[in-house]
Amino acid sequence: MIVRHLSDIEDTDADIKTENWRSKRILLAKDKLGFSVHETTLYAGTVNDFWYANHIEAVFITEGEGEVENKATGEVHQLKPGSIYVLNDADKHQVRPKTTMKTVCVFNPPVTGREVHDENGVYPLIVEDDVAS
């Protein structure tokens, strides 16, 4: 059994902070669960371009409001507490929080916590065995 609290994550190397968002990586590849779980806060008024070419991500909104745009189709979906969007087709997307949004994100394959978005908003595919060696 794994039990963690967000306070265990805060200000560690699993707490990633940028100008637009903060991601607390609660469960990572090293936990060997086949997925990772993050609490991500997106700041009001920011524009966030992402493309998870190597991962499937599910995002559940717990607080705040905003919108997500599918960059391939131009379709825009409104987001509010209780909304979920799933990037199941390597969807290039843009998230625009109207207010500060808190989300719970699940990644498959799991992230290691060491990934950094590249210029296209993509996380590289890193497996935990690669990091250990």
Side-chain angles (χ1 to χ4, degrees):
M1 178 183 296
I2 299 170
V3 177
R4 294 199 177 116
H5 190 272
L6 287 175
S7 62
D8 300 332
I9 309 300
E10 291 172 357
D11 298 320
T12 69
D13 61 356
D15 185 2
I16 310 303
K17 302 171 190 176
T18 75
E19 290 181 9
N20 288 9
W21 51 266
R22 179 180 187 180
S23 180
K24 298 174 188 171
R25 281 91 187 264
I26 304 163
L27 296 171
L28 292 165
K30 66 183 176 184
D31 295 308
K32 301 198 183 306
L33 299 169
F35 60 90
S36 57
V37 177
H38 315 187
E39 181 200 60
T40 300
T41 302
L42 297 118
Y43 303 126
T46 60
V47 175
N48 303 276
D49 289 297
F50 301 115
W51 176 29
Y52 297 114
N54 301 306
H55 299 83
I56 293 173
E57 182 191 28
V59 180
F60 182 74
I61 290 74
T62 60
E63 293 179 29
E65 296 184 2
E67 56 189 24
V68 61
E69 178 181 350
N70 181 324
K71 299 296 280 185
T73 66
E75 191 173 15
V76 176
H77 302 275
Q78 299 305 306
L79 303 173
K80 62 184 180 182
S83 299
I84 190 169
Y85 65 92
V86 181
L87 305 160
N88 60 321
D89 197 22
D91 307 290
K92 291 183 181 181
H93 62 290
Q94 186 175 82
V95 181
R96 301 182 292 261
K98 296 175 184 170
T99 64
T100 295
M101 288 178 26
K102 283 198 182 260
T103 67
V104 176
C105 307
V106 177
F107 280 86
N108 182 9
V111 301
T112 65
R114 295 166 184 85
E115 293 81 359
V116 176
H117 290 102
D118 69 14
E119 66 278 1
N120 296 309
V122 175
Y123 277 157
L125 182 58
I126 302 173
V127 295
E128 193 62 27
D129 293 343
D130 292 345
V131 175
S133 49

